[in-house]
Amino acid sequence: MELFSFLLLLPVLLVLLKIWKWVNDKRDQECYILDYQCYKPADDRMVGTEFSGEVIKRNKNLGLNEYKFLLKAIVSSGIGEQTYAPRIMFSGREQTPTLADGILEMEEFFQDSIGKLLSRAGVSPHEIDLLVVNVSMITAPPCLSSRIINHYKMRQDIKCFNLTGMGCSASLISLDIVRNVFKSYKNKYALLVTSESLSPNWYAGNDRSMILANCLFRSGGCAILLTNNKSLKHRAMFKLKCLVRTHHGARDESYNCCIQREDEIGKVGFYLGKNLPKAATRSFVDNLRVITPKILPVTELVRFMVVSLVKKWNRHGSTKGTTTQGPIKAGVNFKSGVDHFCIHTGGKAVIDGIGFSLDLTEYDLEPARMTLHRFGNTSASSLWYVLAYMEAKKRLKKGDKVLMISFGAGFKCNSCLWEIVRDLEDGNVWKDEIKNYPPKTLVNPYMEKYGWIQDEDPSTFKIPEEQTLP
């Protein structure tokens, strides 16, 4: 009888064992951020109004129309006077870069931010199991990940990935690599390094769609320490809930709207097409369609479905002569599942567009606007400066959800949702100046200083030696 009972109980035990194993394995696949460190270059690399004018004046391929376009672009860009440029700009060699210039720019960032991060976290470089580096605009054998491994003398069995050409959304692509590796290996440390090399990529031509990039992109970077070790979750800052990647590279219009190429006179630059907003909107909509059911509560999804059906029914009924009681809003309320919005600082228009699409307030958009004003568009690392602003403002509380949204060449839209594991209030890169933000106005002084150029006549225009241009 006991043997019979045991045989009956055995299948139940096996099922319970499999359930326990599945739950345990799932816990080991979690992705946590232990700490992160944004890069703040030295003050001698700060780009003010007068210095910007000096740099633009050095480009002999520009005429009055290009100067007027640049003035309009930078005045409306949302960028302030405290952003940073690579050292090559200050030595006047931006049109004749060397490989060493690009490497130096990256090494300054690596040695500053990675060193600070590992020291604060109490983690030795020898403990890092996985290294993922994304820098789009420079490739130099040995790759940048190998240079980091050499500098910090990391282990010979470290798994490393080096991403190039992935654009401004690359840090979430790197995060996806970390997440997938964590599914196969337990109790690991990962180091994610995201930046951009501007030194070899200054555009010295006169194509308006390419000189625009000179106005937006600035130096920056971020190093992030992650783990899937559940015993360290009490030390973690964030827990990854979901991540969605959307790639429209198969569409020629999207593929060609944001691309590095040569202009008519052979100058290499980064082309930003007029159809870029359309490509961004299309990829954004497709990305939201996938991530929305993952991040919003069922009640909001049901509400959206009901309202949409009612609106559709009213439209159908109005064709038969009936009238409606007014417009019915059928948009999804993202704030029902998201507390904070971490938006890529691709430009003022990008921030405004996302804010309109998601029905966000100025409070929600403030971190992205302030990051654009203070640091500019630092490419793939921009998201982490926005996140650091929220932390410095002490907005991030335990249990809150943060939605990250980024765009990149290809054309790509990537997004992810983080859960805050504990209350956060460290200033990170904003520590010494967060009290000054938001400022009373985001208006920069370019128009005040260089507005005279708007009244110039193209037939008689000549740059006065004593004046500079933005």
Side-chain angles (χ1 to χ4, degrees), residues 57-84:
K57 187 179 177 182
R58 293 198 291 255
N59 185 351
K60 304 305 180 183
N61 293 309
L62 301 181
L64 178 60
N65 289 334
E66 286 75 30
Y67 286 129
K68 288 183 177 181
F69 172 77
L70 279 171
L71 178 61
K72 181 180 179 181
I74 200 164
V75 165
S76 60
S77 67
I79 292 179
E81 289 198 290
Q82 293 182 299
T83 59
Y84 301 97

Side-chain angles (χ1 to χ4, degrees), residues 93-106:
R93 296 185 299 104
E94 67 274 2
Q95 298 187 38
T96 56
T98 65
L99 177 61
D101 292 319
I103 298 299
L104 174 63
E105 183 184 5
M106 291 297 93

Side-chain angles (χ1 to χ4, degrees), residues 186-467:
K186 297 182 180 182
N187 303 329
K188 301 299 180 183
Y189 282 115
L191 178 62
L192 192 164
V193 181
T194 176
S195 184
E196 190 56 270
S197 179
L198 302 184
S199 294
N201 294 294
W202 176 262
Y203 175 63
N206 60 7
D207 188 319
R208 293 188 184 186
S209 60
M210 297 168 78
I211 58 178
L212 185 60
N214 291 347
C215 298
L216 294 174
F217 288 99
R218 295 293 187 269
S219 295
C222 186
I224 305 117
L225 181 64
L226 305 104
T227 188
N228 63 341
N229 189 336
K230 58 189 177 186
S231 68
L232 297 175
K233 65 180 182 180
H234 66 284
R235 290 175 47 193
M237 303 173 73
F238 306 94
K239 176 183 176 181
L240 183 63
K241 302 297 290 183
C242 66
L243 187 152
V244 173
R245 293 169 55 182
T246 302
H247 202 308
H248 281 186
R251 298 172 179 260
D252 290 340
E253 186 180 24
S254 297
Y255 174 80
N256 290 308
C257 73
C258 186
I259 191 169
Q260 187 180 31
R261 72 178 194 187
E262 292 181 339
D263 65 8
E264 294 180 352
I265 59 176
K267 299 290 185 181
V268 177
F270 201 67
Y271 168 81
L272 302 174
K274 292 182 179 179
N275 60 334
L276 177 58
K278 181 179 179 181
T281 300
R282 189 187 298 126
S283 63
F284 182 45
V285 169
D286 285 351
N287 187 275
L288 286 182
R289 189 176 291 116
V290 178
I291 199 171
T292 297
K294 299 175 183 289
I295 65 177
L296 297 186
V298 174
T299 52
E300 174 59 23
L301 297 176
V302 171
R303 186 202 69 82
F304 172 73
M305 292 174 61
V306 171
V307 172
S308 297
L309 288 173
V310 171
K311 185 175 182 180
K312 185 177 180 180
W313 177 265
N314 286 339
R315 275 203 303 262
H316 177 72
S318 65
T319 62
K320 297 182 179 181
T322 59
T323 59
T324 63
Q325 298 299 318
I328 299 176
K329 185 177 179 181
V332 176
N333 178 16
F334 279 88
K335 293 184 181 180
S336 64
V338 179
D339 301 288
H340 311 282
F341 296 84
C342 191
I343 302 168
H344 168 56
T345 58
K348 185 176 181 296
V350 173
I351 298 171
D352 290 344
I354 295 178
F356 177 80
S357 298
L358 302 185
D359 195 23
L360 304 182
T361 65
E362 278 303 310
Y363 177 86
D364 299 318
L365 300 178
E366 179 187 311
R369 293 199 195 282
M370 297 307 108
T371 299
L372 179 63
H373 182 265
R374 176 62 181 86
F375 294 98
N377 180 355
T378 59
S379 190
S381 64
S382 295
L383 289 172
W384 307 98
Y385 288 87
V386 179
L387 187 67
Y389 181 90
M390 298 177 188
E391 184 180 358
K393 281 293 186 180
K394 301 181 180 181
R395 295 186 179 187
L396 305 183
K397 304 301 181 182
K398 181 178 179 180
D400 285 358
K401 304 292 195 311
V402 181
L403 177 64
M404 281 186 168
I405 304 169
S406 65
F407 300 90
F411 193 86
K412 300 181 285 292
C413 177
N414 300 324
S415 62
C416 71
L417 186 74
W418 296 98
E419 179 182 343
I420 302 171
V421 178
R422 55 184 171 84
D423 290 352
L424 302 175
E425 55 184 36
D426 181 63
N428 206 295
V429 75
W430 292 91
K431 183 179 297 184
D432 298 329
E433 51 195 302
I434 193 62
K435 292 182 180 179
N436 301 324
Y437 283 85
K440 294 181 179 179
T441 177
L442 295 180
V443 176
N444 58 40
Y446 285 86
M447 185 60 75
E448 178 183 347
K449 188 172 182 61
Y450 302 113
W452 57 268
I453 200 173
Q454 302 281 40
D455 302 321
E456 292 294 313
D457 186 343
S459 62
T460 59
F461 174 71
K462 184 178 180 181
I463 303 176
E465 291 298 324
E466 69 274 11
Q467 287 184 289

